[in-house]
Amino acid sequence: MTLTTRAESSFTPSVIATLKSPTHLLAAGLGSGLAPWAPGTFGSALAVLIYMASLAHLGPWLQLSVIFVSSILGVYLCGRTASDWGVHDHKAIVWDEFVGQWIALFLLPWNSVFVLLAFVYFRLFDIWKPWPIRWCDRHIHGGKGIMLDDLLAGVMALAATQLTIYCAALF
């Protein structure tokens, strides 16, 4: 089966079928990717809530472990779901947003005003796709490609957030 690009796809995943499949449910961000508009933003918002409820309370090595395992798992989840749906990177697949957002939030306290800033930075980098994010999005396919562009957006958002925190501390 030849996978189409997101822009070429007119496929709409079945809500019931997505919720019944553990792989598709996780790839669709526990259902947040099924939002009728801005599914990536809904996925990122749910990722922030999950971070605040759980990951923010873990030590740095445990946070990194969760992010690493979630990244590896995401390659499978996103790749399998994209293949099952016959698309390259359907907008409903938002597990990659979960992990990218968690990277952007790395080491931020759950009650920090910078959590909102990390969310905004991540969404900007994920939507804007500056180099090398855009290159990865266009040239690396399958689960690896779906995950990699968001992991890079998360790293860029993390750097921007930490730089903002550092600059804010100067004043």
Side-chain angles (χ1 to χ4, degrees):
M1 174 187 306
T2 301
L3 299 183
T4 60
T5 63
R6 186 181 332 187
E8 297 170 343
S9 175
S10 60
F11 172 77
T12 302
S14 160
V15 173
I16 299 299
T18 300
L19 297 178
K20 284 184 177 180
S21 165
T23 300
H24 296 174
L25 177 63
L26 287 172
L30 303 174
S32 61
L34 299 173
W37 49 270
T41 301
F42 277 91
S44 293
L46 182 55
V48 169
L49 294 176
I50 291 169
Y51 174 85
M52 291 171 62
S54 59
L55 281 102
H57 306 285
L58 304 175
W61 289 110
L62 200 46
Q63 279 189 36
L64 281 176
S65 297
V66 169
I67 290 168
F68 177 76
V69 169
S70 297
S71 298
I72 300 302
L73 179 63
V75 171
Y76 169 75
L77 294 172
C78 297
R80 175 64 188 259
T81 300
S83 178
D84 289 351
W85 289 352
V87 295
H88 164 63
D89 184 3
H90 194 277
K91 63 185 178 179
I93 298 172
V94 296
W95 183 262
D96 50 331
E97 270 83 5
F98 271 39
V99 182
Q101 186 66 68
W102 293 340
I103 292 170
L105 294 165
F106 180 62
L107 294 181
L108 291 179
W110 72 272
N111 60 349
S112 169
V113 67
F114 294 110
V115 168
L116 177 61
L117 188 62
F119 172 79
V120 170
Y121 277 141
F122 176 71
R123 293 308 304 143
L124 286 174
F125 286 121
D126 187 35
I127 293 166
W128 176 38
K129 296 194 186 310
W131 185 91
I133 298 168
R134 182 178 315 238
W135 186 91
C136 290
D137 187 52
R138 291 181 179 169
H139 295 93
I140 302 174
H141 303 289
K144 291 177 191 171
I146 294 170
M147 288 299 298
L148 187 57
D149 69 312
D150 287 270
L151 297 179
L152 289 172
V155 169
M156 293 175 103
L158 170 66
T161 303
Q162 293 298 326
L163 182 62
T164 302
I165 291 169
Y166 176 78
C167 290
L170 295 176
F171 298 103

